[in-house]
Amino acid sequence: MLDGVFDEIVTPRTDAGALSQVLLVVVATVLLAVLVRRERALVLLVVGVGVGLLGVMSLRTLHGRIM
């Protein structure tokens, strides 16, 4: 049962699942950036990882639509 839920979170099959995944990454990135706002290097790291993750997710979506 949990395997199906985990699968849907990691690789969503619907547009709503993909949107919720993007919103989760954006919220987590903002929250972590606020938590480490005192150290500029950590803020850059958090924002960079968040943007990189969003980029990988968008490439995965694009690849899935082409194939």
Side-chain angles (χ1 to χ4, degrees):
M1 172 146 178
L2 286 178
D3 188 36
V5 172
F6 182 74
D7 241 7
E8 185 63 30
I9 291 171
V10 175
T11 56
R13 291 175 287 187
T14 63
D15 289 341
L19 178 63
S20 64
Q21 192 179 44
V22 167
L23 290 176
L24 178 69
V25 170
V26 169
V27 168
T29 301
V30 169
L31 180 66
L32 287 173
V34 168
L35 288 175
V36 298
R37 69 182 175 264
R38 300 259 185 229
E39 184 64 40
R40 183 167 190 234
L42 289 177
V43 172
L44 288 174
L45 176 67
V46 167
V47 171
V49 168
V51 169
L53 185 58
L54 288 172
V56 168
M57 288 166 41
S58 66
L59 284 175
R60 186 189 66 212
T61 302
L62 194 72
H63 184 271
R65 299 234 188 255
I66 292 173
M67 298 303 220

